[in-house]
DNA sequence: CTCCCTCGTTTCGATTTCCGAAGCGGTCAC
DNA sequence: GTGACCGCTTCGGAAATCGAAACGAGGGAG
C-alpha cells in the first residue's frame, strides 16, 4: 500500500491535506506505537518488535518501510532504526495525547480500575509515560 | 471488538496502560478523523459520514459505538453526535499533530513534489488544517 | 571447524477488519 | 401518494493484519 505523503490523496481523503495524510500514516496499526517505542533511542528490528508486544514481523516490516519512506525514521549503518529529527517532532506531538490518556483513565475510571499489573497512571518513575528520552528540550509542547 | 479502555489489556499490549488503550482506540481507522470532524459542533450520522469522505456506514457505526463507550462523544436528544468535554480535550491534543503535519509537508514535499494527480502540493496555507472550526460563534477554542 | 544463538527480512495461509452497496423503518415536504 | 432525507443494519467480497516458519548472515563457544 502506498505510503501516505502530504500532497497526495490518501485513504479516505481525496484531497492531500497534510493532516489527512498524517492521519492515514499514523492511523495504521502499530505506527504510533513504533514511534513511541523509538523515543529512547535506536533499536534493531527484533528488539523493536519485542517492545511492540511481539507484533507480527510482516506488518512491522511494512510499517518500517512506510515510516522510512515518510522520512520519520531512518536506518543507521548498523541497521538499527532511529527517529529522524522530523520523527522526534512527531513523537513530541504525541505528548498531549499521552497526557490526555492519563486524564481519560482518571475520568472514566475514577476508582474501580486496578490497572495494577503495571505501574500506570500515577507514577513518574517508569521512563515510559510521558517522559522524553531527552530532558533538555525547549521545544514545542 | 472490545472498546479499548484504560486499565484493560488492549490489542497489542497486555498491560492496560492508558496511552496504549488510547493508541488502540485512536489507531482504528477513522476514529481520529471522526474526532476531527466533530470539532465544529454536533453532527448527525449521515452528515458526519459525508464529512468523513463517505466512509462506510458499518465501520462508522462501529467507531461511534466505541467512542460513545469511551465517553469521548455522546448523543444528543435529537440523535446527533457531539464531543464530550473529554472528547474536546482529546481533539485539542491533536493540534500538535496537525501542526507537525504542516511541517512534515513542508519538509518532504520540496523534493518529491510531482505527485500531481491532484491539486495540492504547493500551497502552503490551507485554510482548513489547524484552524478550529466554527469561527462564527465564539466557542471556547 | 561445527553448534547455537541472534539478527534482519521474506513468504504464506488463516483470521480480522474494512469496504460498499443495498435495504429497513421512520419523518417530513410536496 | 412520491420522493428525499434520516439513523442504522446486513452481508459478500476486498484488504489489512496476524502468526509462524524459514532464509542467509554474523558471532561466540567449544
Amino acid at each position: 500500500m502506498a505510503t501516505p505523503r502530504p500532497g497526495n490523496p490518501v485513504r479516505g481523503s481525496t484531497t492531500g491535506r497534510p493532516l489527512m495524510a498524517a492521519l492515514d500514516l499514523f492511523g495504521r496499526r502499530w505506527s504510533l506505537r513504533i514511534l513511541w517505542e523509538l523515543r529512547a533511542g535506536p533499536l534493531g528490528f527484533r528488539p523493536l518488535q519485542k517492545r511492540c508486544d511481539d507484533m507480527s514481523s510482516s506488518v512491522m516490516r511494512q510499517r518500517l518501510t512506510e515510516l522510512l519512506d515518510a522520512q520519520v525514521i531512518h536506518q543507521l549503518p548498523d541497521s538499527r532504526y532511529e527517529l529522524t529529527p522530523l520523527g522526534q517532532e512527531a513523537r513530541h506531538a504525541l505528548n498531549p495525547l499521552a497526557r490526555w490518556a492519563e486524564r481519560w483513565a482518571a475520568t472514566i475510571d475514577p476508582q474501580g480500575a486496578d490497572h495494577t499489573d503495571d505501574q500506570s497512571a500515577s507514577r513518574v518513575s517508569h521512563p515510559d509515560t510521558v517522559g522524553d528520552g531527552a530532558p533538555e528540550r525547549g521545544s514545542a509542547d
Side-chain angles (χ1 to χ4, degrees), chain A:
Chain A
M1 171 188 282
T3 301
R5 284 163 149 273
N8 299 43
V10 283
R11 247 184 349 183
S13 178
T14 48
T15 85
R17 280 176 290 171
L19 176 62
M20 294 308 149
L23 254 40
D24 187 8
L25 177 62
F26 292 132
R28 297 175 185 187
R29 200 155 296 160
W30 299 110
S31 9
L32 284 176
R33 178 67 176 273
I34 289 176
L35 213 65
W36 187 256
E37 297 296 347
L38 283 179
R39 93 204 95 113
L43 283 174
F45 190 97
R46 291 207 195 217
L48 178 55
Q49 184 185 13
K50 279 200 179 59
R51 277 197 179 242
C52 290
D53 219 77
D54 271 308
M55 62 175 291
S56 74
S57 51
S58 44
V59 180
M60 170 130 147
R61 195 72 202 65
Q62 217 171 309
R63 288 300 99 84
L64 287 174
T65 306
E66 292 160 6
L67 293 174
L68 285 167
D69 212 45
Q71 306 187 32
V72 170
I73 62 177
H74 65 126
Q75 209 163 5
L76 300 174
D78 64 0
S79 87
R80 288 181 305 166
Y81 296 92
E82 185 184 39
L83 294 178
T84 61
L86 200 55
Q88 306 231 16
E89 289 177 28
R91 148 68 191 83
H92 280 115
L94 238 53
N95 269 342
L97 189 61
R99 277 193 277 274
W100 175 86
E102 296 289 332
R103 249 170 306 159
W104 181 45
T107 302
I108 81 178
D109 214 32
Q111 58 262 353
D114 45 308
H115 8 80
T116 35
D117 59 37
D118 71 318
Q119 54 290 79
S120 59
S122 46
R123 267 244 193 103
V124 204
S125 55
H126 207 65
D128 175 304
T129 319
V130 183
D132 302 36
E136 68 302 303
R137 43 75 214 288
S139 63
D141 265 278

